[in-house]
Amino acid sequence: MAHVVTQPCCNDAGCVAVCPVNCIHPTPEERTRGRTEMLYIDPEACIDCGACLDECPVDAIVPPEDLTPEMQPFVDMNAAYYQDNPTPDPMPAVELPKVSAGAGVLRVAIVGSGPSACYLAEALTSHRGLDVEISMIERLPVPGGLVRYGVAPDHSSTKSIAGPFTRMMGRRNIDVYLDVEVGRHLTHEDLLRHHHAVVYANGATGDRALGVPGEDLAGSMSAREFVAWYNGHPDYADLRVDLSCERAVVVGNGNVALDVARVLTSEVSRLLKTDIAAHALETLAASRIREVVVLGRRGAGAAAFSTPELLGLGDLPGVDVTASDIGTGSAEMSALERIRADILTRYAATEPAPGRRRIHLQFLRSPVEVLGNGRVESLRTAVNTLEGATGEFENIETGLVLRSIGFRGMRQSGVPFDEDRGVIPNAAGAAIDPESGDRVPGVYTAGWLKRGPSGVIGSNKVCSAETAAAIVGDFVNGLHTPPVGDRKAFAELVCARHPDYIDLQGWRRIDAFERGEGRSAGRPRVKVVSVGDMVSVARGEPATLGR
């Protein structure tokens, strides 16, 4: 039996490069052909050498001798992928242009510190022959972005990819400026004057609206806000979350929607083993929610959640997973689609037991109005079929509606922006003026702000490599305007504008403090959620841990 990729898999794809027999797919380049949920190891080609085990940053790969009966679905999924894709065609990897000796120093400012920013810095600093200096600028006092504030707390293995990112930030040619905001402490023009290239990789910090009446009632919020709240994001630590109702409705059925449903129905004892924010833990301990309805407008075949996340719902202690209106499978389904359909069929046949919490996957329902007198009391939905609307309506009684229908990027001052898509218009990461179609000199983007909110953490790797190739290519071809200020001058500018900014050493103090608090509480870490406390800890001062 071969090695098997199990959940959680961040899709980093570092294991692909070290496999001596090329049996791990889809490669980052192959992913450009369509949506893929995770990586798969070919059971016929794998030679059980174990090279991938050491490379995996989140311990998602399991050798055959360690496989348990509970992991059998992942064995099936690995095999099913190769039934659908017996001989994946190789595609050329993204390669950075060669840099000739004496080309000088390339200075790059990266706005953001999440996966796309870190993969970009990794690609640039690992390029042989390139002399590069990077300024990484993050508005929060801590780095991590999506890893710290977006990954669900019970996916602790996935969060462990933050370790390699932090080590990368410690390289001698990278300066990290935390608690520094572009638009407040620095301007876009400041960055351009001190760097050849400025890359906006600060993610999708807004969310899409339902566009229905009553959406602004108390008890209606975005899943993005809710996730930020339970993950301890300082901007949302004071968010009022009322869990006094017995049923919550999550509109949308992607992985974030399943994360939210899982957190709302989990036993507090399970969450105590995670780094969930203390204020969220306290609120969830008093929660009266017994059921979460996950609502999908279309049929089950169009749901955006991944098969591993769907499968994982069934492992929640004390929680029944049920489903309605899943439709029937077709003969044209792929092997992986059949596995997914089998899971949903099993959920649809589940009879909820009295006294247990429940997650109900409801398909073919569209929200048309949030009803209530001052706060949410119910959600009115249109009943659909696979062919379209029926003209019928249903009301779901609920006190909490969480919309999980997609994040969107926000406009950056002085940078072109596509309001419809919520991204910086670009060609392979190089910003484009939407009116003239011309390149915007020195401006680039990566991650969700480049392509929209899609994929998993590792999806940013090939995205950032593409942007890195554009930056280096422009440098080699002399298309950058040489900066008027060097590394020292930029550091002096930041100090002048914001003397109390936090550097990487300050983050290491915060990290050590949180881990220490976690050890005392029997948890992996206890997050500091107040910016004031973060700054105090970073300076080595006592923290009040005001929440």
Side-chain angles (χ1 to χ4, degrees):
M1 185 179 290
H3 283 61
V4 174
V5 178
T6 66
Q7 224 6 37
C9 170
C10 71
N11 243 332
D12 174 83
C15 55
V16 172
V18 300
C19 178
V21 293
N22 190 33
C23 75
I24 306 177
H25 295 274
T27 67
E29 294 71 38
E30 289 165 351
R31 285 185 214 152
T32 61
R33 296 178 174 176
R35 173 182 138 183
T36 54
E37 298 179 336
M38 56 187 288
L39 296 170
Y40 304 93
I41 298 177
D42 188 340
E44 298 297 326
C46 177
I47 59 174
D48 293 337
C49 69
C52 56
L53 294 175
D54 293 333
E55 189 65 26
C56 179
V58 297
D59 297 327
I61 300 175
V62 178
E65 63 271 17
D66 291 340
L67 289 171
T68 65
E70 291 75 22
M71 295 176 183
Q72 184 59 43
F74 294 101
V75 177
D76 298 338
M77 279 187 270
N78 274 262
Y81 176 81
Y82 290 95
Q83 291 180 36
D84 302 330
N85 306 273
T87 53
D89 296 327
M91 296 183 67
V94 176
E95 293 187 2
L96 272 64
K98 294 182 179 179
V99 181
S100 59
V105 178
L106 169 63
R107 288 191 43 74
V108 180
I110 301 176
V111 181
S113 66
S116 61
C118 290
Y119 282 128
L120 177 63
E122 173 70 32
L124 290 170
T125 56
S126 300
H127 183 42
R128 290 184 178 180
L130 179 65
D131 191 358
V132 62
E133 294 174 349
I134 293 175
S135 305
M136 186 173 285
I137 301 145
E138 167 61 57
R139 77 172 185 89
L140 293 175
V142 295
L146 179 67
V147 177
R148 182 176 172 96
Y149 293 122
V151 175
D154 56 351
H155 283 355
S156 57
S157 294
T158 305
K159 287 174 176 284
S160 65
I161 198 172
F165 287 162
T166 301
R167 289 192 291 274
M168 180 273 303
M169 290 180 198
R171 292 176 181 172
R172 59 172 181 78
N173 51 350
I174 298 180
D175 295 319
V176 178
Y177 300 97
L178 304 172
D179 196 30
V180 176
E181 185 172 359
V182 178
R184 179 184 175 198
H185 303 110
L186 299 171
T187 66
H188 173 65
E189 290 71 25
D190 288 331
L191 301 183
L192 282 174
R193 280 197 299 270
H194 290 82
H195 302 86
H196 292 90
V198 178
V199 187
Y200 288 91
N202 44 332
T205 55
D207 46 68
R208 301 188 182 280
L210 291 172
V212 302
E215 185 175 7
D216 296 329
L217 284 171
S220 172
M221 68 182 70
S222 72
R224 179 188 62 82
E225 294 171 311
F226 185 70
V227 169
W229 170 76
Y230 67 58
N231 271 327
H233 194 297
D235 291 352
Y236 299 93
D238 295 327
L239 186 70
R240 293 190 63 185
V241 178
D242 186 349
L243 304 182
S244 61
C245 57
E246 293 192 358
R247 179 186 293 121
V249 177
V250 183
V251 180
N253 53 20
N255 284 344
V256 173
L258 299 196
D259 286 346
V260 167
R262 208 172 53 249
V263 168
L264 282 171
T265 55
S266 287
E267 295 285 352
V268 172
S269 58
R270 180 175 178 271
L271 297 175
L272 273 169
K273 302 171 185 176
T274 75
D275 68 352
I276 192 170
H279 60 256
L281 196 60
E282 182 179 348
T283 301
L284 288 163
S287 171
R288 295 182 58 204
I289 290 177
R290 306 299 300 174
E291 180 184 25
V292 177
V293 177
V294 179
L295 207 67
R297 176 171 58 90
R298 294 179 292 179
F305 49 64
S306 68
T307 305
E309 293 292 345
L310 176 67
L311 180 67
L313 288 183
D315 295 331
L316 279 177
V319 178
D320 289 320
V321 183
T322 58
S324 294
D325 299 305
I326 62 171
T328 57
S330 66
E332 292 77 27
M333 285 194 300
S334 68
L336 279 172
E337 288 171 337
R338 284 194 292 274
I339 289 176
R340 181 185 176 104
D342 288 346
I343 296 170
L344 286 166
T345 299
R346 187 171 76 245
Y347 289 160
T350 299
E351 288 291 335
R356 287 168 61 89
R357 293 185 177 89
R358 180 186 180 195
I359 295 174
H360 182 65
L361 307 176
Q362 174 65 66
F363 299 96
L364 299 174
R365 297 293 185 276
S366 299
V368 296
E369 186 174 4
V370 182
L371 303 171
N373 183 16
R375 67 166 297 107
V376 175
E377 295 175 6
S378 65
L379 177 68
R380 186 166 176 78
T381 66
V383 179
N384 305 320
T385 66
L386 293 176
E387 289 72 37
T390 64
E392 300 177 358
F393 299 90
E394 290 179 353
N395 282 8
I396 304 174
E397 185 177 338
T398 180
L400 179 64
V401 173
L402 297 165
R403 63 182 182 275
S404 184
I405 55 174
F407 299 169
R408 59 174 283 115
M410 305 298 288
R411 178 179 291 276
Q412 316 294 303
S413 179
V415 179
F417 192 68
D418 184 332
E419 290 288 352
D420 292 334
R421 296 183 58 218
V423 299
I424 294 175
N426 69 92
I432 298 291
D433 185 323
E435 295 184 2
S436 67
D438 296 334
R439 290 271 302 273
V440 181
V443 182
Y444 302 83
T445 184
W448 283 4
L449 201 51
K450 170 186 172 182
R451 68 183 192 276
S454 61
V456 293
I457 287 175
S459 305
N460 294 291
K461 194 171 189 177
V462 67
C463 171
S464 294
E466 181 185 59
T467 299
I471 294 170
V472 176
D474 288 349
F475 180 64
V476 169
N477 293 322
L479 300 182
H480 291 137
T481 301
V484 297
D486 59 10
R487 184 177 186 178
K488 180 180 178 183
F490 185 69
E492 291 172 348
L493 175 67
V494 176
C495 286
R497 298 280 182 82
H498 185 34
D500 295 328
Y501 84 88
I502 296 172
D503 59 13
L504 191 60
Q505 187 58 39
W507 155 241
R508 286 172 174 151
R509 292 192 188 100
I510 296 173
D511 184 44
F513 178 85
E514 291 182 338
R515 291 177 184 275
E517 292 289 300
R519 283 192 295 273
S520 299
R523 303 178 60 197
R525 74 168 64 231
V526 173
K527 288 180 178 174
V528 182
V529 300
S530 157
V531 169
D533 283 341
M534 290 178 185
V535 172
S536 295
V537 174
R539 292 176 182 168
E541 300 171 358
T544 60
L545 287 185
R547 296 184 174 88

